[in-house]
Amino acid sequence: MEKEIVIKSTQGLHAALAAKVVQTASKYAVDIELHYHNKVVDLKSILALMSLAVPHGENVRIVARGTRAEEAIKDVSSILG
């Protein structure tokens, strides 16, 4: 399952937002990734997520696999988009 969203935060994907995303993604027993340009990172890793430095208004894709993938994507995308 996957979903494309636009980063709505005017500060882009900053540290506090990344921490919230990681905390939310970690609640689910799914494999969940963020795809940005040609990079793919685990959404349960704050260092990996911060390394992307995604600015405001950029498109990203969230990809999840597992029994609660749809729910995980919905929760994470509500934070980012």
Side-chain angles (χ1 to χ4, degrees), residues 6-81:
V6 176
I7 301 296
K8 301 270 182 174
S9 170
T10 57
Q11 298 173 0
L13 189 49
H14 55 86
L17 183 59
K20 198 174 197 181
V21 168
V22 169
Q23 183 179 30
T24 301
S26 296
K27 291 192 236 177
Y28 297 96
V30 298
D31 292 326
I32 188 165
E33 304 165 335
L34 186 82
H35 295 237
Y36 176 63
H37 290 244
N38 293 323
K39 298 177 185 171
V40 178
V41 298
D42 183 350
L43 273 178
K44 295 180 181 180
S45 168
I46 193 160
L47 291 177
L49 190 54
M50 290 296 302
S51 73
L52 294 177
V54 182
H56 164 75
E58 286 290 311
N59 289 324
V60 297
R61 190 165 34 108
I62 302 169
V63 178
R65 291 172 292 284
T67 55
R68 296 178 65 196
E70 186 174 352
E71 188 179 349
I73 287 175
K74 182 181 174 187
D75 279 356
V76 168
S77 62
S78 72
I79 295 168
L80 290 173

